[in-house]
Amino acid sequence: MESSSERLLTPGEVAALFRVDPKTVTRWAAAGRISSIRTPGGHRRFRESEVHALLRGEDVMSAERQNGDSPRV
């Protein structure tokens, strides 16, 4: 079970970590490469643990599917 206190990152913060444009991060989310959470205002946020797993080269989305979790986009 995930902690509800996990830090959420903005597309800009994720983009800075990967050294890409924030729109690229949004495209990754739309393509299912990374899951995102929508704020009440409709903005995307990304779980810090998932972002760091991707930075380490782990395939987070396939691991979620194997666990029976569906992508949250």
Side-chain angles (χ1 to χ4, degrees):
M1 178 171 244
E2 291 183 40
S3 169
S4 62
S5 64
E6 181 173 10
R7 183 158 182 256
L8 298 175
L9 304 176
T10 66
E13 291 170 322
V14 176
L17 291 169
F18 283 95
R19 296 184 178 153
V20 297
D21 190 89
K23 284 289 186 186
T24 300
V25 177
T26 300
R27 282 189 220 105
W28 290 346
R33 182 172 177 189
I34 185 171
S35 65
S36 65
I37 297 168
R38 294 284 189 146
T39 67
H43 300 279
R44 290 186 192 270
R45 296 294 180 264
F46 302 90
R47 289 178 195 86
E48 186 175 39
S49 62
E50 185 174 335
V51 170
H52 286 290
L54 283 173
L55 281 169
R56 290 189 301 269
E58 298 173 14
D59 187 358
V60 177
M61 295 306 291
S62 67
E64 280 186 357
R65 288 186 198 107
Q66 289 174 0
N67 292 333
D69 294 337
S70 61
R72 295 168 190 88
V73 176

